[in-house]
Amino acid sequence: MTVNEERLNQFLGHAVGDLGAAISATLMLVGDQLGLYRALAKRPLTSVQLAAETDTNERYVREWLGNQAAGGYVEYDAAADAYSLNPEQALCLADPGGPVDLPGAYSLVEATFHALERTKENFRTGKGMEWGEHHPCLFHGTERFFRAGYNANLITSWLPALDGVLEKLKAGGKAADVGCGHGASTTLMAQAFPKSSFIGYDYHPGSIEVASERARQARVDNAYFEVADATSYSGNHFDLIAFFDCLHDMADPVGAARHALHALKPDGTCLLVEPFAGDSVQDNLNPVGRVYYGASSQICVPVSLARNGPALGAQAGEARLRAVLEEAGFRQFRRATQTPFNLVLEARP
Protein backbone atom coordinates (compact mmCIF):
# COMPACT_ATOMS: atom_id res chain seq x y z
CA MET A 1 0.00 0.00 0.00
CA THR A 2 1.34 3.39 -1.00
CA VAL A 3 0.80 6.15 1.56
CA ASN A 4 0.54 9.76 0.44
CA GLU A 5 2.54 11.61 3.08
CA GLU A 6 0.78 14.92 2.50
CA ARG A 7 -2.66 13.40 2.94
CA LEU A 8 -1.42 11.46 5.98
CA ASN A 9 -0.22 14.64 7.63
CA GLN A 10 -3.47 16.43 6.78
CA PHE A 11 -5.48 13.61 8.31
CA LEU A 12 -3.33 13.44 11.44
CA GLY A 13 -3.59 17.20 11.89
CA HIS A 14 -7.36 16.92 11.67
CA ALA A 15 -7.41 13.95 14.04
CA VAL A 16 -5.25 15.70 16.63
CA GLY A 17 -7.70 18.61 16.60
CA ASP A 18 -10.55 16.19 17.20
CA LEU A 19 -8.62 14.44 19.97
CA GLY A 20 -8.03 17.78 21.68
CA ALA A 21 -11.73 18.56 21.46
CA ALA A 22 -12.69 15.13 22.81
CA ILE A 23 -10.36 15.25 25.82
CA SER A 24 -11.61 18.77 26.55
CA ALA A 25 -15.30 17.80 26.65
CA THR A 26 -15.35 17.10 30.39
CA LEU A 27 -13.35 20.27 31.00
CA MET A 28 -16.12 22.23 29.32
CA LEU A 29 -18.48 20.79 31.93
CA VAL A 30 -15.99 21.67 34.67
CA GLY A 31 -15.82 25.26 33.46
CA ASP A 32 -19.58 25.54 33.38
CA GLN A 33 -20.47 23.72 36.58
CA LEU A 34 -17.77 25.33 38.73
CA GLY A 35 -18.50 28.84 37.45
CA LEU A 36 -15.13 29.37 35.76
CA TYR A 37 -16.59 30.71 32.53
CA ARG A 38 -18.94 33.05 34.34
CA ALA A 39 -16.10 34.51 36.40
CA LEU A 40 -13.91 35.05 33.32
CA ALA A 41 -16.79 36.78 31.53
CA LYS A 42 -16.74 39.54 34.15
CA ARG A 43 -13.08 40.57 33.96
CA PRO A 44 -9.57 39.25 33.17
CA LEU A 45 -8.19 37.03 35.92
CA THR A 46 -4.98 35.21 36.70
CA SER A 47 -5.18 31.58 37.68
CA VAL A 48 -4.74 32.59 41.32
CA GLN A 49 -7.57 35.12 41.11
CA LEU A 50 -9.89 32.75 39.25
CA ALA A 51 -9.33 29.99 41.80
CA ALA A 52 -10.01 32.41 44.65
CA GLU A 53 -13.22 33.72 43.07
CA THR A 54 -14.58 30.26 42.37
CA ASP A 55 -13.32 28.50 45.50
CA THR A 56 -11.29 26.02 43.45
CA ASN A 57 -7.69 24.76 43.52
CA GLU A 58 -5.25 27.02 41.67
CA ARG A 59 -3.08 24.21 40.32
CA TYR A 60 -6.02 22.53 38.63
CA VAL A 61 -7.39 25.87 37.43
CA ARG A 62 -4.02 26.77 35.90
CA GLU A 63 -4.03 23.59 33.84
CA TRP A 64 -7.66 24.11 32.85
CA LEU A 65 -6.86 27.61 31.63
CA GLY A 66 -4.00 26.29 29.50
CA ASN A 67 -6.34 23.77 27.89
CA GLN A 68 -9.01 26.37 27.23
CA ALA A 69 -6.60 28.95 25.83
CA ALA A 70 -4.98 26.37 23.54
CA GLY A 71 -8.40 25.48 22.20
CA GLY A 72 -9.44 29.08 21.60
CA TYR A 73 -12.12 29.08 24.27
CA VAL A 74 -10.51 31.75 26.46
CA GLU A 75 -8.19 34.67 25.69
CA TYR A 76 -4.68 34.83 27.21
CA ASP A 77 -2.75 38.04 27.91
CA ALA A 78 0.86 36.92 28.30
CA ALA A 79 2.06 40.27 29.62
CA ALA A 80 -0.44 40.20 32.48
CA ASP A 81 -0.52 36.40 32.74
CA ALA A 82 -4.31 36.79 32.80
CA TYR A 83 -7.20 35.10 31.06
CA SER A 84 -10.60 36.36 29.94
CA LEU A 85 -13.58 35.70 27.70
CA ASN A 86 -14.14 38.01 24.77
CA PRO A 87 -17.79 39.05 24.17
CA GLU A 88 -18.37 36.29 21.61
CA GLN A 89 -16.94 33.58 23.85
CA ALA A 90 -18.95 34.88 26.81
CA LEU A 91 -22.16 34.78 24.77
CA CYS A 92 -21.66 31.08 23.99
CA LEU A 93 -20.08 29.90 27.25
CA ALA A 94 -21.34 32.04 30.11
CA ASP A 95 -24.90 33.08 29.29
CA PRO A 96 -27.38 30.18 29.72
CA GLY A 97 -30.22 32.55 28.81
CA GLY A 98 -28.60 33.63 25.56
CA PRO A 99 -28.93 32.44 21.94
CA VAL A 100 -26.17 29.78 22.20
CA ASP A 101 -25.40 27.47 25.12
CA LEU A 102 -22.37 25.35 24.29
CA PRO A 103 -21.88 23.85 27.77
CA GLY A 104 -25.44 22.54 27.59
CA ALA A 105 -24.51 20.63 24.45
CA TYR A 106 -21.64 18.96 26.28
CA SER A 107 -24.09 17.43 28.73
CA LEU A 108 -25.46 15.56 25.72
CA VAL A 109 -21.94 14.36 24.97
CA GLU A 110 -21.61 13.26 28.59
CA ALA A 111 -24.79 11.21 28.23
CA THR A 112 -23.36 9.25 25.30
CA PHE A 113 -20.47 8.04 27.46
CA HIS A 114 -22.88 6.94 30.19
CA ALA A 115 -24.71 4.93 27.51
CA LEU A 116 -21.61 3.47 25.83
CA GLU A 117 -22.16 -0.15 26.84
CA ARG A 118 -25.78 0.00 25.68
CA THR A 119 -24.70 1.66 22.44
CA LYS A 120 -22.31 -1.21 21.69
CA GLU A 121 -25.06 -3.70 22.46
CA ASN A 122 -27.45 -1.83 20.18
CA PHE A 123 -24.96 -1.89 17.32
CA ARG A 124 -24.55 -5.65 17.71
CA THR A 125 -28.21 -6.54 18.19
CA GLY A 126 -30.28 -3.78 16.59
CA LYS A 127 -32.06 -3.14 19.89
CA GLY A 128 -32.94 0.33 21.13
CA MET A 129 -32.80 2.45 24.26
CA GLU A 130 -35.74 4.41 25.61
CA TRP A 131 -35.32 8.11 26.30
CA GLY A 132 -36.03 7.58 29.99
CA GLU A 133 -33.24 5.00 30.27
CA HIS A 134 -30.56 7.62 29.68
CA HIS A 135 -28.57 9.40 32.38
CA PRO A 136 -30.41 12.54 33.60
CA CYS A 137 -27.66 14.74 32.15
CA LEU A 138 -29.21 14.06 28.73
CA PHE A 139 -32.51 15.61 29.75
CA HIS A 140 -30.92 18.71 31.27
CA GLY A 141 -28.45 19.10 28.41
CA THR A 142 -31.22 18.85 25.85
CA GLU A 143 -33.21 21.49 27.71
CA ARG A 144 -30.28 23.90 27.84
CA PHE A 145 -28.98 23.44 24.31
CA PHE A 146 -32.33 23.66 22.56
CA ARG A 147 -33.68 26.38 24.86
CA ALA A 148 -30.96 28.69 23.57
CA GLY A 149 -32.18 28.19 20.01
CA TYR A 150 -35.75 28.81 21.10
CA ASN A 151 -34.69 31.99 22.90
CA ALA A 152 -33.06 33.25 19.72
CA ASN A 153 -35.66 32.21 17.15
CA LEU A 154 -39.01 30.86 18.33
CA ILE A 155 -40.92 34.06 19.09
CA THR A 156 -39.11 36.43 16.73
CA SER A 157 -38.65 34.22 13.66
CA TRP A 158 -40.26 30.78 13.63
CA LEU A 159 -43.80 31.61 14.75
CA PRO A 160 -44.01 34.77 12.61
CA ALA A 161 -43.02 32.66 9.58
CA LEU A 162 -46.22 30.61 9.93
CA ASP A 163 -49.34 31.77 8.11
CA GLY A 164 -51.74 33.45 10.53
CA VAL A 165 -50.45 31.75 13.69
CA LEU A 166 -49.08 34.84 15.40
CA GLU A 167 -52.42 36.60 15.17
CA LYS A 168 -54.27 33.63 16.69
CA LEU A 169 -51.85 33.37 19.60
CA LYS A 170 -51.99 37.09 20.30
CA ALA A 171 -55.79 37.01 20.32
CA GLY A 172 -56.03 33.95 22.57
CA GLY A 173 -55.53 30.62 20.90
CA LYS A 174 -54.92 27.07 21.98
CA ALA A 175 -51.62 25.28 21.33
CA ALA A 176 -49.95 21.96 22.09
CA ASP A 177 -46.24 21.20 22.36
CA VAL A 178 -45.82 17.48 21.65
CA GLY A 179 -42.64 15.86 22.97
CA CYS A 180 -42.07 18.93 25.12
CA GLY A 181 -39.35 17.50 27.36
CA HIS A 182 -38.64 19.97 30.15
CA GLY A 183 -41.07 22.43 28.59
CA ALA A 184 -38.64 25.18 27.58
CA SER A 185 -40.48 25.87 24.33
CA THR A 186 -43.91 25.58 25.95
CA THR A 187 -43.10 28.04 28.72
CA LEU A 188 -41.45 30.48 26.35
CA MET A 189 -44.55 30.60 24.14
CA ALA A 190 -46.83 30.91 27.16
CA GLN A 191 -44.85 33.91 28.40
CA ALA A 192 -45.00 35.58 24.99
CA PHE A 193 -48.73 35.02 24.49
CA PRO A 194 -50.50 35.32 27.85
CA LYS A 195 -54.00 35.27 26.28
CA SER A 196 -53.42 31.81 24.81
CA SER A 197 -53.33 28.45 26.56
CA PHE A 198 -50.55 25.93 26.04
CA ILE A 199 -50.23 22.28 26.96
CA GLY A 200 -47.05 20.27 26.78
CA TYR A 201 -47.16 16.51 26.25
CA ASP A 202 -44.34 14.05 26.83
CA TYR A 203 -44.30 10.33 27.48
CA HIS A 204 -41.44 10.65 30.01
CA PRO A 205 -42.93 11.32 33.48
CA GLY A 206 -39.72 12.77 34.87
CA SER A 207 -39.59 15.40 32.15
CA ILE A 208 -43.20 16.42 32.73
CA GLU A 209 -42.49 16.84 36.43
CA VAL A 210 -39.56 19.15 35.65
CA ALA A 211 -41.57 21.05 33.03
CA SER A 212 -44.33 21.75 35.53
CA GLU A 213 -41.81 23.00 38.06
CA ARG A 214 -40.11 25.23 35.46
CA ALA A 215 -43.47 26.82 34.63
CA ARG A 216 -44.17 27.44 38.32
CA GLN A 217 -40.76 29.04 38.75
CA ALA A 218 -41.46 31.30 35.76
CA ARG A 219 -44.89 32.21 37.25
CA VAL A 220 -46.60 31.04 34.10
CA ASP A 221 -50.27 30.19 34.62
CA ASN A 222 -51.32 29.49 31.02
CA ALA A 223 -49.09 26.47 30.40
CA TYR A 224 -49.93 22.95 31.57
CA PHE A 225 -48.15 19.64 31.21
CA GLU A 226 -49.38 16.09 30.89
CA VAL A 227 -47.77 12.67 30.57
CA ALA A 228 -49.03 11.36 27.23
CA ASP A 229 -47.82 9.61 24.13
CA ALA A 230 -47.70 11.51 20.82
CA THR A 231 -50.39 9.26 19.35
CA SER A 232 -52.83 9.20 22.26
CA TYR A 233 -53.12 12.57 24.04
CA SER A 234 -56.71 13.63 24.51
CA GLY A 235 -56.61 17.36 23.73
CA ASN A 236 -58.19 18.69 20.55
CA HIS A 237 -59.35 21.81 18.69
CA PHE A 238 -55.84 23.25 18.69
CA ASP A 239 -54.84 26.28 16.64
CA LEU A 240 -51.22 25.13 16.74
CA ILE A 241 -49.50 21.80 17.42
CA ALA A 242 -45.72 21.93 17.55
CA PHE A 243 -43.07 19.23 17.41
CA PHE A 244 -39.71 20.64 18.46
CA ASP A 245 -36.75 18.43 17.51
CA CYS A 246 -38.60 15.24 18.39
CA LEU A 247 -40.62 13.75 15.52
CA HIS A 248 -37.57 11.97 14.11
CA ASP A 249 -37.12 10.19 17.47
CA MET A 250 -40.60 8.73 17.58
CA ALA A 251 -41.65 5.11 17.16
CA ASP A 252 -44.59 6.11 14.97
CA PRO A 253 -43.97 9.50 13.34
CA VAL A 254 -46.79 9.00 10.82
CA GLY A 255 -49.17 8.09 13.65
CA ALA A 256 -48.03 11.14 15.65
CA ALA A 257 -48.61 13.40 12.66
CA ARG A 258 -52.00 11.82 11.96
CA HIS A 259 -53.05 12.28 15.58
CA ALA A 260 -51.98 15.94 15.37
CA LEU A 261 -54.03 16.38 12.20
CA HIS A 262 -57.14 15.10 13.95
CA ALA A 263 -56.47 17.23 17.04
CA LEU A 264 -56.13 20.46 15.05
CA LYS A 265 -58.91 22.83 14.14
CA PRO A 266 -59.78 22.75 10.42
CA ASP A 267 -57.68 25.90 9.93
CA GLY A 268 -54.97 24.84 12.41
CA THR A 269 -51.24 24.61 11.83
CA CYS A 270 -48.64 21.98 12.61
CA LEU A 271 -45.16 23.35 13.29
CA LEU A 272 -42.34 20.89 12.76
CA VAL A 273 -38.86 21.99 13.88
CA GLU A 274 -36.20 19.43 12.98
CA PRO A 275 -32.40 19.31 12.82
CA PHE A 276 -31.12 20.92 9.64
CA ALA A 277 -30.38 18.32 6.99
CA GLY A 278 -30.27 17.88 3.25
CA ASP A 279 -31.98 15.02 1.50
CA SER A 280 -28.83 13.05 0.64
CA VAL A 281 -25.87 11.82 2.67
CA GLN A 282 -23.44 14.01 0.74
CA ASP A 283 -25.51 17.08 1.63
CA ASN A 284 -24.86 16.40 5.30
CA LEU A 285 -21.12 15.71 5.24
CA ASN A 286 -20.27 18.91 7.10
CA PRO A 287 -19.67 19.95 10.74
CA VAL A 288 -23.37 20.32 11.58
CA GLY A 289 -24.18 16.98 9.97
CA ARG A 290 -21.35 15.35 11.90
CA VAL A 291 -22.82 16.54 15.20
CA TYR A 292 -26.29 15.36 14.28
CA TYR A 293 -25.21 11.97 12.93
CA GLY A 294 -23.28 11.47 16.18
CA ALA A 295 -26.30 12.29 18.32
CA SER A 296 -28.62 10.34 16.05
CA SER A 297 -26.68 7.07 16.21
CA GLN A 298 -26.42 7.15 20.00
CA ILE A 299 -29.66 8.83 21.10
CA CYS A 300 -32.29 9.42 18.40
CA VAL A 301 -32.25 6.14 16.47
CA PRO A 302 -32.16 3.99 19.65
CA VAL A 303 -35.24 5.78 21.04
CA SER A 304 -37.24 4.91 17.92
CA LEU A 305 -35.92 1.35 17.61
CA ALA A 306 -36.77 0.70 21.27
CA ARG A 307 -40.41 0.66 20.14
CA ASN A 308 -39.79 -0.90 16.71
CA GLY A 309 -40.05 2.47 14.98
CA PRO A 310 -38.70 3.48 11.57
CA ALA A 311 -35.78 5.40 13.09
CA LEU A 312 -35.91 8.45 10.83
CA GLY A 313 -32.80 9.79 12.52
CA ALA A 314 -31.71 13.36 13.14
CA GLN A 315 -30.71 13.82 9.50
CA ALA A 316 -34.03 12.81 8.01
CA GLY A 317 -34.17 15.77 5.64
CA GLU A 318 -37.11 17.72 4.29
CA ALA A 319 -38.23 15.20 1.66
CA ARG A 320 -38.61 12.34 4.15
CA LEU A 321 -40.37 14.61 6.64
CA ARG A 322 -42.74 15.81 3.93
CA ALA A 323 -43.53 12.18 3.10
CA VAL A 324 -44.38 11.50 6.75
CA LEU A 325 -46.75 14.47 6.96
CA GLU A 326 -48.40 13.72 3.63
CA GLU A 327 -48.90 10.05 4.54
CA ALA A 328 -50.57 11.28 7.74
CA GLY A 329 -53.04 13.29 5.68
CA PHE A 330 -51.69 16.84 5.65
CA ARG A 331 -52.34 18.52 2.31
CA GLN A 332 -50.21 21.64 2.63
CA PHE A 333 -46.52 21.54 3.48
CA ARG A 334 -43.72 24.08 3.14
CA ARG A 335 -40.41 25.16 4.61
CA ALA A 336 -41.33 28.28 6.56
CA THR A 337 -37.79 29.29 7.50
CA GLN A 338 -34.50 27.80 8.67
CA THR A 339 -31.36 28.34 10.74
CA PRO A 340 -27.94 26.68 10.41
CA PHE A 341 -29.18 24.11 12.95
CA ASN A 342 -32.90 23.77 12.17
CA LEU A 343 -35.44 23.21 9.46
CA VAL A 344 -38.71 24.95 10.32
CA LEU A 345 -41.60 23.32 8.48
CA GLU A 346 -45.28 24.17 8.32
CA ALA A 347 -48.05 21.64 7.61
CA ARG A 348 -51.77 22.35 7.33
CA PRO A 349 -54.86 20.22 6.75
Side-chain angles (χ1 to χ4, degrees), residues 252-272:
D252 185 6
V254 173
R258 184 178 294 118
H259 191 73
L261 177 64
H262 294 156
L264 281 170
K265 291 180 179 178
D267 64 342
T269 300
C270 179
L271 168 62
L272 180 61

Side-chain angles (χ1 to χ4, degrees), residues 127-142:
K127 295 179 180 179
M129 183 174 180
E130 291 275 11
W131 180 261
E133 294 183 88
H134 278 279
H135 190 278
C137 66
L138 175 63
F139 318 140
H140 295 288
T142 299

Side-chain angles (χ1 to χ4, degrees), residues 7-218:
R7 286 189 302 184
L8 175 63
N9 289 333
Q10 288 176 345
F11 172 71
L12 287 175
H14 180 79
V16 168
D18 286 347
L19 181 60
I23 197 66
S24 303
T26 50
L27 294 177
M28 293 282 292
L29 296 171
V30 167
D32 176 60
Q33 295 173 14
L34 297 185
L36 304 179
Y37 290 127
R38 291 188 294 277
L40 289 172
K42 296 176 183 176
R43 62 186 178 92
L45 297 168
T46 66
S47 61
V48 173
Q49 292 169 330
L50 179 57
E53 287 207 9
T54 57
D55 194 25
T56 52
N57 180 272
E58 188 277 334
R59 186 64 190 89
Y60 284 110
V61 166
R62 193 192 326 163
E63 217 70 5
W64 180 86
L65 286 165
N67 166 271
Q68 296 290 292
Y73 283 73
V74 305
E75 300 283 305
Y76 177 56
D77 181 350
D81 192 26
Y83 300 80
S84 63
L85 293 184
N86 63 42
E88 294 75 24
Q89 291 166 335
L91 183 68
C92 297
L93 298 171
D95 183 6
V100 181
D101 188 350
L102 282 178
Y106 279 85
S107 292
L108 278 70
V109 175
E110 179 188 1
T112 65
F113 281 92
H114 284 292
L116 179 58
E117 292 305 315
R118 284 291 298 274
T119 298
K120 289 190 292 184
E121 180 185 353
N122 291 341
F123 269 68
R124 293 189 183 107
T125 65
K127 295 179 180 179
M129 183 174 180
E130 291 275 11
W131 180 261
E133 294 183 88
H134 278 279
H135 190 278
C137 66
L138 175 63
F139 318 140
H140 295 288
T142 299
E143 175 189 7
R144 284 186 57 177
F145 179 67
F146 287 104
R147 181 180 60 203
Y150 304 150
N151 287 340
N153 300 292
L154 177 54
I155 306 303
T156 59
S157 175
W158 296 349
L159 291 177
L162 305 177
D163 289 337
V165 168
L166 212 59
E167 292 74 18
K168 292 177 182 177
L169 295 179
K170 288 178 178 178
K174 182 180 178 183
D177 187 352
V178 180
C180 67
H182 283 184
S185 48
T186 325
T187 298
L188 185 61
M189 290 189 291
Q191 290 173 316
F193 304 102
K195 292 183 179 180
S196 290
S197 62
F198 297 83
I199 184 164
Y201 297 112
D202 202 288
Y203 83 132
H204 181 228
S207 289
I208 288 298
E209 183 178 343
V210 172
S212 299
E213 179 58 29
R214 294 279 193 270
R216 283 194 292 270
Q217 292 172 350

Side-chain angles (χ1 to χ4, degrees), residues 14 18 21 73 101-102 104-109 112 138 145-146 245 248 275-277 283-301 313-315 340-342:
H14 180 79
D18 286 347
Y73 283 73
D101 188 350
L102 282 178
Y106 279 85
S107 292
L108 278 70
V109 175
T112 65
L138 175 63
F145 179 67
F146 287 104
D245 294 289
H248 65 270
F276 190 93
D283 291 337
N284 303 320
L285 300 183
N286 52 59
V288 172
R290 186 186 187 191
V291 170
Y292 281 138
Y293 277 128
S296 187
S297 58
Q298 299 172 85
I299 300 169
C300 308
V301 165
Q315 295 289 267
F341 288 99
N342 291 103

